[in-house]
Amino acid sequence: MNEVLAGIDIGGTKIAVALETAERERVATRFLSTQSEAGPFAVLEDVSRAIEEILDEKGDGKLVSIGVGSPGPLDMEKGLILSPSNMRDWDRFPIVGLLRERFKVPVMLDNDANAAALGEYIYGAGRGYKNIVYITASTGIGGGIIINGEIFHGVSHGAGEIGHTVALPDSDIRCYCGTIGCLEAVCAGARIARRAQERLSKGEASLINEMVRDVEQVTAKTVIEAARRKDKLATEIWSEACRYLAVGVANIFTLLAPEAVVIGGGMAAAGEMLFEPLRRITPQFVSMIPHEKINIIPAELGTESGICGALVIARKAFSNSYQIYAA
Amino acid sequence: MNEVLAGIDIGGTKIAVALETAERERVATRFLSTQSEAGPFAVLEDVSRAIEEILDEKGDGKLVSIGVGSPGPLDMEKGLILSPSNMRDWDRFPIVGLLRERFKVPVMLDNDANAAALGEYIYGAGRGYKNIVYITASTGIGGGIIINGEIFHGVSHGAGEIGHTVALPDSDIRCYCGTIGCLEAVCAGARIARRAQERLSKGEASLINEMVRDVEQVTAKTVIEAARRKDKLATEIWSEACRYLAVGVANIFTLLAPEAVVIGGGMAAAGEMLFEPLRRITPQFVSMIPHEKINIIPAELGTESGICGALVIARKAFSNSYQIYAA
């Protein structure tokens, strides 16, 4: 029997399940829907069956541990998912206990951004570094900090919330989280789309008017595409977002001096449209480390970062339990 | 012979030298002047003689290692002090090499804020925590990060520079470091004094006018004292400074979620005048960790934090070398 690890990456709309061998060979990957009228218990039943089916197909595999990445908030001590936005019926859902009971293996849970950070660190753009900060910049902004190869959790597992560091304390930009001027509220995808919608509604000229039927359809992606085509309004909005993200990245370098800041998510999918201004502007806000050490790199794994991270978490769950058995 | 460790805490005006036993009993502390027309080599000669005299007086002590805290910039790999402000003739001064040659013991160097962080962590307000961030808020703002009992240095030893995180990227407040809106430029002692001087020069009414002969004499301390006496102008300036410092502290909690932020330096000497507003305002800018976990505490060691840290660094120098010998 070969040892096999399972990773489960829970997203707002879909769940990825993957199994790999101890030698890091991927056995199989399956996708399931997160949203089910039957509720989270039924969804987890589907996930569990998927794992069992893959094991059956492989024939000689023995499951040794499971790692789970999930949107927060979580109660990591108790292994609970606590009602993430878009997953309101997953409140106090005891995913760790249920999986442990069913498979009789160690199960570890972490939040999705931490999992993605770990995925990029072990399998992706963060390979070979000691300390990195991972940022996922999409509709919102999340992050994870890896120090000496481990997720840095901090008190109440609260570390790495770069999206909610305050960039504009004197602004009137309210974040949904309750504070003011958070990086996410100031420059993430939702803000980019809203800024464009506001200006287009006022009748400003823009290529975007030809790209969508209705102003309401404008997303950050539309803005990025129009900026790529040199549209003035889109370029202004996108440049402003890049500038504030650069301030957030600068503060990470000044405070933590990581060897790399790895950026993934929808904004990073814009490629050089994001990384050129980031690499140009960030050093303007960093004085305490040599500018050649300001290493800002794109994530490499795309949507795979989360599931890769869940598999690394599974590996940690296994080695932790192994240490306990060995002691 | 009893093992004895030496700590050297270099400041802009004076140098503290202390020796302690392996059991952490202080043998003696001496103070010398940093500024000498004879230059840094002569100053180090005085420091070395002070160590030798203390050892002679003690009689049964054997020096096993030396730790040094110094204002930066430093070249920690080569053990050099690189021309700190106020210490311009200490450029590329090979303090580690010189001490190692003279005393034939391991010598380790770190910057003064990191040393003070370590001092507070081991001997002061940070005792018993795993991860803390230390801030020294005086004329300028420095800091150090302790993770798992070790100074977190980051790339180019650049981590912990909280004073140069950007709090107001859209302001016109230039920092001497070259960037804009740094926390230090926005709220440290020099800014507080200058703000008061500007407003008093315009003829604004204030108790401060009775406290100093000349507007140029106004320091942050004057402003704090006048604010304590409910002076309106001083209260406005002090409150603004506290608010921005709270933003900086909030960003530390959001990014790193330390178990405590320990604050020392001249601003912290204001006591509850600082800590009451900090504890009230910081949570307004933190959404991602429970507010009861926002633990902001005064440093306990005062001017001793640096020398205590230098002694801890000496201890690390000794245990590192011991590991090397043992291997």
Side-chain angles (χ1 to χ4, degrees):
Chain A
M1 294 291 268
N2 290 315
E3 289 172 346
V4 175
L5 305 106
I8 302 173
D9 174 33
I10 303 176
T13 53
K14 65 175 197 263
I15 297 179
V17 181
L19 271 65
E20 69 170 20
T21 66
E23 293 75 33
R24 286 200 195 160
E25 271 165 40
R26 185 71 63 92
V27 176
T29 312
R30 297 273 176 88
F31 296 94
L32 298 99
S33 171
T34 313
Q35 304 294 340
S36 162
E37 300 219 337
F41 288 90
V43 172
L44 191 68
E45 178 61 32
D46 292 345
V47 167
S48 303
R49 281 210 201 118
I51 293 173
E52 287 163 353
E53 280 168 24
I54 299 171
L55 285 169
D56 280 350
E57 285 164 22
K58 186 167 160 58
D60 65 342
K62 180 185 180 301
L63 187 71
V64 294
S65 66
I66 303 174
V68 184
S70 165
L74 310 174
D75 182 331
M76 284 180 56
E77 269 74 30
K78 294 187 181 139
L80 310 178
I81 297 174
L82 304 174
S83 189
S85 54
N86 306 326
M87 289 167 62
R88 288 297 174 208
D89 48 347
W90 292 65
D91 191 27
R92 301 194 63 76
F93 184 69
I95 189 159
V96 168
L98 292 170
L99 286 168
R100 201 180 274 155
E101 205 168 291
R102 175 139 185 174
F103 291 99
K104 317 285 183 205
V105 295
V107 181
M108 259 170 79
L109 169 70
D110 213 316
N111 80 49
D112 47 2
N114 282 344
L118 206 51
E120 287 291 339
Y121 181 75
I122 298 290
Y123 292 84
R127 284 192 314 277
Y129 296 112
K130 218 171 119 187
N131 310 313
I132 67 162
V133 174
Y134 169 80
I135 300 175
T136 168
S138 295
T139 314
I141 293 177
I145 299 172
I146 308 287
I147 291 181
N148 289 328
E150 300 285 340
I151 295 168
F152 183 78
H153 282 107
V155 77
S156 295
H157 303 286
E161 289 287 357
I162 172 70
H164 297 281
T165 57
V166 174
L168 292 180
D170 290 341
S171 71
D172 56 1
I173 305 170
R174 288 216 155 265
C175 184
Y176 76 91
C177 76
T179 69
I180 284 175
C182 289
L183 198 62
E184 169 165 323
V186 161
C187 72
R191 167 82 175 173
I192 292 169
R194 201 165 52 249
R195 288 276 287 162
Q197 289 166 359
E198 282 165 9
R199 291 179 60 174
L200 293 168
S201 300
K202 288 180 189 155
E204 283 196 50
S206 165
L207 272 179
I208 298 174
N209 289 312
E210 296 158 30
M211 294 166 68
V212 293
R213 235 182 285 175
D214 190 320
V215 165
E216 303 255 309
Q217 291 177 324
V218 174
T219 64
K221 213 170 167 179
T222 330
V223 177
I224 292 168
E225 184 48 36
R228 200 187 297 281
R229 288 157 65 183
K230 314 280 184 203
D231 177 64
K232 185 167 164 289
L233 180 145
T235 302
E236 281 171 18
I237 292 168
W238 177 247
S239 300
E240 187 185 89
C242 292
R243 180 167 176 278
Y244 288 125
L245 187 57
V247 170
V249 172
N251 283 346
I252 289 173
F253 277 105
T254 299
L255 198 59
L256 275 180
E259 289 161 275
V261 168
V262 176
I263 307 181
M267 284 177 75
E272 280 306 296
M273 288 273 294
L274 177 71
F275 287 93
E276 185 282 318
L278 267 191
R279 288 178 180 138
R280 179 166 40 81
I281 300 167
T282 302
Q284 297 170 15
F285 290 102
V286 177
S287 56
M288 291 291 134
I289 63 173
H291 287 178
E292 70 270 18
K293 299 286 184 186
I294 300 174
N295 186 20
I296 304 169
I297 53 180
E300 285 179 4
L301 302 175
T303 54
E304 274 272 301
S305 61
I307 191 68
C308 287
L311 286 163
V312 179
I313 292 167
R315 214 164 276 276
K316 288 189 188 278
F318 180 55
S319 58
N320 282 359
S321 66
Y322 185 78
Q323 282 164 17
I324 292 162
Y325 297 152
Chain B
M1 296 288 270
N2 289 314
E3 288 172 348
V4 175
L5 305 105
I8 303 172
D9 174 34
I10 303 175
T13 52
K14 65 175 197 262
I15 297 179
V17 180
L19 269 66
E20 69 170 20
T21 66
E23 293 74 35
R24 284 199 197 164
E25 271 166 38
R26 185 72 62 92
V27 177
T29 312
R30 298 272 175 88
F31 296 94
L32 299 99
S33 170
T34 312
Q35 303 295 338
S36 162
E37 298 220 336
F41 287 90
V43 171
L44 192 67
E45 178 61 32
D46 292 346
V47 167
S48 301
R49 280 209 202 120
I51 294 174
E52 286 162 353
E53 281 168 24
I54 300 171
L55 286 169
D56 279 350
E57 284 163 22
K58 187 168 159 61
D60 65 340
K62 181 185 178 303
L63 187 73
V64 295
S65 65
I66 303 173
V68 184
S70 166
L74 309 173
D75 182 331
M76 284 180 55
E77 269 75 28
K78 294 189 180 137
L80 310 178
I81 297 174
L82 304 174
S83 190
S85 55
N86 305 328
M87 289 167 61
R88 287 299 174 208
D89 48 347
W90 292 65
D91 191 28
R92 302 192 64 75
F93 185 68
I95 190 159
V96 169
L98 291 171
L99 287 168
R100 198 179 276 153
E101 206 167 291
R102 175 142 183 170
F103 291 99
K104 317 286 182 205
V105 296
V107 181
M108 259 170 77
L109 170 69
D110 213 316
N111 80 48
D112 46 3
N114 282 345
L118 206 50
E120 287 290 340
Y121 181 75
I122 298 290
Y123 293 83
R127 284 191 315 275
Y129 296 114
K130 218 172 119 187
N131 310 313
I132 67 161
V133 175
Y134 169 80
I135 300 176
T136 168
S138 296
T139 314
I141 293 177
I145 300 172
I146 308 287
I147 291 181
N148 288 328
E150 301 284 341
I151 295 167
F152 184 77
H153 282 107
V155 77
S156 297
H157 303 286
E161 289 287 357
I162 172 71
H164 298 280
T165 56
V166 173
L168 292 180
D170 289 342
S171 71
D172 56 1
I173 305 170
R174 288 215 155 266
C175 185
Y176 77 90
C177 77
T179 70
I180 283 174
C182 291
L183 197 61
E184 169 165 323
V186 161
C187 72
R191 167 82 174 173
I192 292 169
R194 202 166 48 248
R195 289 277 286 163
Q197 289 168 358
E198 283 165 8
R199 291 179 59 175
L200 294 168
S201 299
K202 287 180 190 156
E204 285 196 49
S206 165
L207 273 180
I208 298 175
N209 289 312
E210 296 156 31
M211 295 166 67
V212 293
R213 236 181 284 174
D214 189 321
V215 165
E216 302 256 307
Q217 290 177 324
V218 175
T219 64
K221 214 169 168 182
T222 329
V223 176
I224 292 168
E225 185 47 36
R228 198 186 300 279
R229 290 156 66 182
K230 313 279 183 206
D231 177 64
K232 184 167 167 286
L233 179 145
T235 302
E236 281 172 19
I237 291 168
W238 177 248
S239 300
E240 187 186 90
C242 292
R243 180 168 176 275
Y244 289 125
L245 187 57
V247 170
V249 172
N251 283 346
I252 289 172
F253 278 105
T254 300
L255 199 59
L256 275 180
E259 289 161 275
V261 168
V262 176
I263 308 182
M267 286 176 74
E272 280 306 294
M273 288 272 295
L274 178 72
F275 287 94
E276 184 283 316
L278 268 190
R279 288 178 179 136
R280 178 166 39 81
I281 300 167
T282 302
Q284 297 170 12
F285 290 103
V286 177
S287 56
M288 291 291 133
I289 62 174
H291 286 180
E292 69 271 19
K293 299 286 185 188
I294 300 174
N295 186 20
I296 304 169
I297 53 179
E300 286 178 4
L301 303 176
T303 54
E304 274 273 300
S305 60
I307 191 68
C308 287
L311 286 163
V312 180
I313 291 168
R315 216 164 275 276
K316 289 192 186 275
F318 180 55
S319 60
N320 281 358
S321 67
Y322 185 79
Q323 281 164 19
I324 292 162
Y325 298 151

